[in-house]
Amino acid sequence: MSFADQASRTLAMLALTPGWARLQALRPDCDDATVAMLLDAAAGFAETALAPLNPVGDQIGAQLVEGHVVLPPGFVQAFHAYAESGWLGIDAPASFGGMDLPITMQAVCGPLFDRGCMALMMAAGSIRGAIQLLAASADPATAEEWGPRLVSGEWAATICISEPEAGSDIGRIRTKAEQRDGTWRITGQKIWISFGDHDMASRIGHCLLARSNDEPGTRGLSLFLVPDHVDGAPNGVSVERLEEKLGLHASPTCAMRFRAAQGILLGEEGRGLSQLFAMIEPMRLHTGCQGLGLASAAADIAEDYAAQRRQGGRPDQAPPPIARHPDVRRQLHDIRAGTEILRAAVLELSTVMDLARLENDAGLGDLASFMLPLIKTFGAETGFDAAHAAIQVLGGAGYVRDCPLEHYLRDARVMALYEGTTGMQALDFLTRRLWRDEGRGLAVFLAHARSELATGAVARPEQAARVASLLDDLALLAQAMTAMQSQPDAALYRADSFMRAAWAAVSGWMAFRIHADESLALCQARFDLHAARCA
C-alpha cells in the first residue's frame, strides 16, 4: 500500500474536477507545482509520523489517570509535529497564523492524514472546526487570543453538543448558561466529546451549546467558548469517564461535567445552533475525508494482496495470483470504483464550497448544501464498506490483528454516527435541501451534471445518455417526494431511500467523469432499488 499512490490519484482527480481550474484562476498560489509539493509533503508526513502510531494507539488506547486523559506513546509528539508543520492551519485565516489556503487543499491532504492515524486526526478535525467558528463568530479579542494558539497547537478545542437526554434532538439541551456579575456561567453535562481532555495542549476550549434564556427548543440556545482553565486556575470543567468503544481507542471520548464554568459568548445570544454550523460543516466534510482515507488504504491492501497471493489454477502448473480470478477481479473493481467515485465527489464538493465563498455565488452555496449530507453519509459508508470488502478479498488473513483491515473496519463504523447520524442526514436532505430550499441545490446539481455530460457526449455518447437518464429519473423522484409534503410521516419514512437514490445519481455523474463506465449500470440499479422504496 502506498501513500504516494494516493497522492498521485488525488492530483489526477483534481485535474478532472471542472471547478479546480476556476479555483486556481482565483487563487494563483495554488498552482500545479505547489499543490504537488504540498501533497508529497503530506503523504510523507502521514506515512512516517502518523502511520506508525496507528497500531500503538489501537492497542494501548487513551487512559484516564487521576482525572486527566493520557494519550498513547508518541501521540503528543506527533500532534506537535503536525501543528508545527503547518497542517493544523492549512485553511486557517492568515490573521491566525494559518496558511489561508482553500478548503480544497485540506480535502486533498486530509485523507492522507486520516489514513495515517484517524484517531489522532479526530482532535485535529475539532480544532480546525473551532478555528473556522472563531473566525466567523468570536469577538476580536477572543479571536486574537485563541485563533493563533489553536493554529500553533499550543491550545486545543472541542465541540460540545450532546447530552444524556439530548443527542440528535438538540432542542432538549438542558445545560444552563446564566449571567452572574456580567460573566456567563455554564452548568451541565455533555457526552460523546472527542478529546474532551488530553495531554497534547496546555489549554482546551469547549465550543458549547447551552440554554441561555427561556425560549423553547433551539431558540433558547447560545454558543459559548468554555476554557478548561482561566488565568491558570481550573474552570469547573472535569472528565467524568471515558467511553469504552469498538474502535478509535486512542481518541478519548469523554463524558464532561461543567460546574459554573466561565464561558465566553460567541456571536448573538439565542442563535447558537445556526452559528455552530460554521464548525459543523467543515467537520462533516472531514468525515467524508476520513472515509476516503480508510477506503484508499483498504483498496491498496486488497490489490497488493491479490497480486501476491497465489491460489488455484491447473494442478500441473504454478498457481496464479488470485487477482486473475474473475470473482476477485469483481471484488477489487467494486472496492476501487467506490473509492475513486468518493474521491471525485469529495473534490467536487470542496471546490464548490471554495468557489461559493470566493465568488459569493448563492447557486454554488445551494449545491454545496445539497452535496454535504451525501458526502458525510456515503464517505462514512464507503470507508466501512471498503474495509469490509477488502477483508473478504484477503479471507482469514484480513481478519487477524496482523492486518490493519480489521482495525480500519472498527474505526470506520462510528463515522455514520457522529456529526449527525445517517437518519439525521436523510431528514436534512429531504426536509431542508429539497422542501425548505425548494430544490435549489438539486436544480444546480442537475444543471452542472448535464452540462458536463453535454461536453463529454461527443466522445462517449452512450455513457452520457445513461447518466442523463439517471438524472432525469432523480428529477422525477424529487417531484414525487416534494408532492408528499402533505404526508410527512410517509415522506420521512422514505427519506433514507431518497438520499440513497440521490447518491446513486451523484455517483453516476462522478463515474462518467472518471471513466468508470463499468459502474454506470450499478449506479442505475442502486437508484432503481431506492426509488422503488420511495414509491
Side-chain angles (χ1 to χ4, degrees), residues 382-396:
T382 300
F384 181 85
D385 291 346
H388 177 270
I391 289 174
Q392 194 67 28
V393 171
L394 272 67

Side-chain angles (χ1 to χ4, degrees), residues 34 74 90 116 118 131 152 164 174 191 197 206 252 300 316 321 351 374 378-379 396 422-423 442 474:
T34 299
I90 189 170
M118 179 178 161
I131 290 168
S152 71
R174 294 187 296 182
I191 58 175
D197 189 75
H206 302 284
D300 285 352
D316 59 339
T351 54
L374 300 177
F378 298 104
T422 298
L442 170 65
L474 177 61

Side-chain angles (χ1 to χ4, degrees), residues 210-516:
R211 191 162 297 284
S212 60
N213 58 55
D214 295 329
E215 290 286 332
T218 60
R219 287 178 294 175
L221 298 178
S222 297
L223 183 59
F224 298 89
L225 177 66
V226 184
D228 62 348
H229 289 79
V230 174
D231 296 329
N235 187 34
V237 181
S238 60
V239 181
E240 294 190 318
R241 69 175 184 276
L242 292 187
E243 306 294 349
E244 297 290 336
K245 309 189 298 294
L246 175 69
L248 289 181
H249 295 157
S251 172
T253 302
C254 305
M256 309 288 297
R257 179 69 66 176
F258 297 83
R259 294 180 174 87
Q262 183 176 330
I264 303 165
L265 179 66
L266 298 177
E268 183 180 342
E269 184 187 354
R271 297 195 64 249
L273 180 58
S274 61
Q275 291 166 172
L276 188 62
F277 272 88
M279 186 173 189
I280 291 175
E281 289 187 354
M283 292 179 72
R284 286 180 174 171
L285 173 61
H286 180 214
T287 303
C289 292
Q290 289 175 319
L292 177 56
L294 296 189
S296 297
D300 285 352
I301 290 171
E303 289 168 353
D304 289 348
Y305 182 87
Q308 298 172 24
R309 174 67 167 164
R310 295 178 174 273
Q311 289 283 278
R314 292 178 50 175
D316 59 339
Q317 296 180 359
I322 64 171
R324 296 183 188 173
H325 297 322
D327 185 61
V328 176
R329 291 206 313 271
R330 173 191 61 80
Q331 294 177 69
L332 294 175
H333 169 269
D334 288 350
I335 296 169
R336 178 56 70 186
T339 299
E340 299 311 314
I341 285 171
L342 175 61
R343 195 184 317 280
V346 164
L347 296 178
E348 174 67 22
L349 172 59
S350 63
T351 54
V352 165
M353 291 173 72
D354 279 323
L355 290 170
R357 177 178 55 86
L358 291 170
E359 298 185 328
N360 195 26
D361 189 321
L364 290 178
D366 290 333
L367 177 57
S369 295
F370 170 83
M371 290 191 65
L372 196 57
L374 300 177
I375 295 302
K376 190 278 173 188
T377 298
F378 298 104
E381 292 195 4
T382 300
F384 181 85
D385 291 346
H388 177 270
I391 289 174
Q392 194 67 28
V393 171
L394 272 67
Y399 190 65
V400 297
R401 288 288 177 91
D402 288 344
C403 178
L405 287 173
E406 62 86 29
H407 179 189
Y408 296 153
L409 186 79
R410 289 184 286 106
D411 281 359
R413 183 60 187 89
V414 74
M415 294 188 295
L417 305 178
Y418 56 49
E419 309 310 331
T421 64
T422 298
M424 295 304 297
Q425 299 298 326
L427 296 181
D428 175 84
F429 189 71
L430 175 64
T431 63
R432 294 184 180 178
R433 306 312 160 201
L434 183 65
W435 292 355
R436 188 194 68 182
D437 295 351
E438 300 178 326
R440 293 191 301 270
L442 170 65
V444 178
F445 156 67
L446 292 172
H448 278 229
R450 285 167 174 158
S451 175
E452 188 170 339
L453 292 177
T455 302
V458 176
R460 300 160 64 215
E462 181 181 344
Q463 293 86 347
R466 296 186 74 170
V467 181
S469 176
L470 186 56
L471 298 178
D472 292 342
D473 290 344
L474 177 61
L476 291 173
L477 179 61
Q479 290 178 11
M481 294 301 296
T482 299
M484 293 187 71
Q485 291 183 69
S486 60
Q487 309 169 61
D489 283 355
L492 297 181
Y493 187 89
R494 293 161 172 78
D496 180 81
S497 295
F498 175 60
M499 180 175 67
R500 292 179 186 279
W503 175 245
V506 171
S507 296
W509 177 28
M510 295 297 105
F512 179 82
R513 175 178 296 177
I514 66 175
H515 291 249

Side-chain angles (χ1 to χ4, degrees), residues 51-63:
L53 299 177
N54 218 25
V56 175
D58 185 55
Q59 292 162 14
I60 297 176
Q63 307 290 327

